[in-house]
Amino acid sequence: MRKIQMVDTKTQYLAIKDQVDAAIHEVLDSAAYINGKAVKDFAQNLGSYLGIDHVIPCANGTDALQIAMMALDLQPGDEVITPSFTYIATTEVVALLKLKPVFVDVDPVTYCMDIESLKKAITPKTKAIVPVHLYGQAAPMEEIMAIAKEHHLFVIEDNAQAIGCDYTFSDGTKKKTGTIGHIGATSFYPSKNLGAFGDGGALFTNDKDLAHKMAMIANHGQSERYYHDVVGCNSRLDSIQAAILNIKLTHLDEYSKARQAVANYYSTAFAGIAQIVTPATGKHTTHVFHQYTMQLKNVDREKFIAHLSAKEIPCMIYYPVPGHLQKMFGGQNNQHWNLPVTDSLTPCVCSLPIHTEMDAEQLAYIVEGVKSFFN
Ligand SMILES: *Cc1c(COP(=O)(O)O)cnc(C)c1O
């Protein structure tokens, strides 16, 4: 049996090696390593796939979030509402820009932003909401957009874990996650659902002025060569990564299906185990399973992990410390946020291997390994 990994980027590469190698060599031959044709093509192709007017490639997903917040002219002290139960990048950039992260709770079923918690967190200083489509399914965007409109707030979607996910509005309209808010931000980190062979990220918007501004900020605030209108940064997707992503984008839907098949297999196999809460998908969203994250109820998680580890089955805790309790935000003293769901999920979540190249033998072995803990 092939060694089981959380993510198997090598096997995925081997399956499309000829295409990818040819695309890389094309960039090498062109010598247009920065801002080459592949970057423009990728922005165009991703825009068509998502159904969005503007895609601005950048260096990584964290930069994408930062550039989005810079483009909205948020001022020091402005409040940005975001879940605590997410990867740190989401909240880190808020603090980096001297904005105030306001942590809200998540829904206990979907693990995405909780609407009641969001409503309670709004103050006169609130300027933006950053929902995270955690683990691969959409936050309740229709409700979030309605609240944002009522309070004149910007919405930046953190779509780093959900590219390809579809959200359905109550009138039946479907949109891709990342294209619903004012700005969407994503990451092409190798283990993401659309992963490069290095770092990469992108911003999405239908707003022409915002698109222009974000492109300018990502390029040293430059409007014309050597004319710098605003303070920006240097954040580029390089041509080789764009060429690879161009190939992988054509496989994205089949990759999502492969992930969904793995998730179905696990959930069916674990249905009879009372101590496992398998992941549920919200009503208005598909799920592209960036992670397969279950909850372990009345289980010693350390023992469970050790049991799997002895069988060489990896698993991970996403995330062991929620944002509001990270040392950068005051650590364990920072308990004044009232986030009961986040606090209850953190000690019991556990994510199993999920990727596009898992075979039947590996899946059966993992399921047996998990089941044997409960026998
Ligand atoms: C990966 C990730 C990011 C950051 O992306 P990088 O490309 O690693 O900077 C941001 N938010 C979430 C939710 C992520 O999973």
Side-chain angles (χ1 to χ4, degrees):
M1 185 173 61
R2 238 177 335 121
K3 184 174 155 50
I4 298 172
Q5 297 172 273
M6 288 302 288
V7 182
D8 186 351
T9 46
K10 173 93 185 268
T11 309
Q12 193 191 53
Y13 163 59
L14 292 177
I16 52 169
K17 185 178 187 313
D18 293 349
Q19 276 180 299
V20 168
D21 290 3
I24 291 174
H25 276 104
E26 205 175 302
V27 177
L28 296 182
D29 287 337
S30 77
Y33 305 128
I34 299 290
N35 271 330
K37 181 172 175 298
V39 179
K40 289 178 194 84
D41 287 350
F42 175 60
Q44 184 98 47
N45 294 340
L46 185 60
S48 315
Y49 173 84
L50 294 170
I52 190 106
D53 292 347
H54 307 278
V55 170
I56 297 104
C58 66
N60 56 66
T62 311
D63 275 11
L65 289 162
Q66 181 184 328
I67 292 163
M69 288 178 209
M70 288 169 79
L72 295 175
D73 275 332
L74 305 184
Q75 299 301 313
D78 285 352
E79 293 179 1
V80 176
I81 298 177
T82 176
S84 170
F85 195 68
T86 177
Y87 181 54
I88 195 64
T90 322
T91 37
E92 180 187 34
V93 296
V94 176
L96 188 72
L97 295 173
K98 304 265 184 279
L99 311 169
K100 186 181 173 211
V102 172
F103 296 105
V104 294
D105 218 346
V106 289
D107 179 273
V109 175
T110 65
Y111 312 141
C112 288
M113 188 178 270
D114 176 69
I115 292 299
E116 292 313 311
S117 187
L118 164 62
K119 283 183 187 160
K120 278 189 213 142
I122 294 170
T123 76
K125 284 188 165 173
T126 308
K127 288 287 152 54
I129 308 170
V130 185
V132 182
H133 305 309
L134 198 73
Y135 302 148
Q137 71 171 310
M141 289 308 296
E142 183 159 1
E143 290 89 336
I144 291 170
M145 294 311 293
I147 292 166
K149 193 169 179 197
E150 184 188 335
H151 296 274
H152 307 285
L153 307 175
F154 292 112
V155 175
I156 302 169
E157 296 174 70
D158 183 340
N159 198 35
Q161 300 192 359
I163 198 146
C165 174
D166 290 305
Y167 181 84
T168 308
F169 288 82
S170 47
D171 68 359
T173 318
K174 278 186 200 302
K175 282 190 181 174
K176 292 277 183 208
T177 52
T179 69
I180 302 164
H182 301 91
I183 303 174
T186 203
S187 163
F188 306 120
Y189 184 78
S191 65
K192 298 287 155 95
N193 290 29
L194 179 59
F197 293 179
D199 278 306
L203 291 140
F204 321 134
T205 188
N206 280 319
D207 182 318
K208 189 164 164 258
D209 295 334
L210 267 179
H212 177 73
K213 196 156 178 205
M214 293 192 294
M216 201 157 89
I217 290 169
N219 186 21
H220 300 290
Q222 174 170 286
S223 55
E224 315 169 43
R225 194 159 217 189
Y226 305 128
Y227 289 81
H228 305 274
D229 300 4
V230 294
V231 174
C233 55
N234 173 21
S235 189
R236 293 185 283 242
L237 177 71
D238 58 63
S239 305
I240 288 180
Q241 299 306 336
I244 295 163
L245 288 165
N246 250 326
I247 304 291
K248 284 192 146 192
L249 179 60
T250 63
H251 297 280
L252 181 59
D253 287 343
E254 86 200 43
Y255 288 163
S256 299
K257 286 203 185 91
R259 290 172 175 278
Q260 287 157 352
V262 172
N264 270 333
Y265 185 91
Y266 283 149
S267 291
T268 307
F270 303 148
I273 303 176
Q275 294 100 319
I276 292 182
V277 179
T278 56
T281 306
K283 261 194 195 148
H284 306 289
T285 169
T286 59
H287 201 319
V288 293
F289 287 98
H290 176 60
Q291 301 298 347
Y292 182 89
T293 303
M294 51 195 194
Q295 292 174 56
L296 300 171
K297 295 289 186 184
N298 306 313
V299 169
D300 181 334
R301 187 169 63 177
E302 292 307 308
K303 272 198 190 144
F304 178 77
I305 293 170
H307 177 85
L308 293 188
S309 163
K311 298 175 185 301
E312 296 192 41
I313 301 170
C315 60
M316 293 287 284
I317 309 302
Y318 301 115
Y319 296 93
V321 181
H324 72 289
L325 297 180
Q326 293 286 352
K327 272 191 195 157
M328 67 159 82
F329 294 125
Q332 295 299 323
N333 297 328
N334 200 15
Q335 297 280 6
H336 67 279
W337 302 100
N338 181 27
L339 308 172
V341 178
T342 298
D343 291 337
S344 73
L345 287 174
T346 303
C348 76
V349 285
C350 183
S351 304
L352 291 180
I354 192 163
H355 55 76
T356 59
E357 314 297 325
M358 292 185 76
D359 61 36
E361 192 187 6
Q362 292 176 314
L363 285 172
Y365 181 80
I366 294 168
V367 161
E368 267 326 296
V370 170
K371 282 185 169 170
S372 65
F373 179 80
F374 296 99
N375 289 335

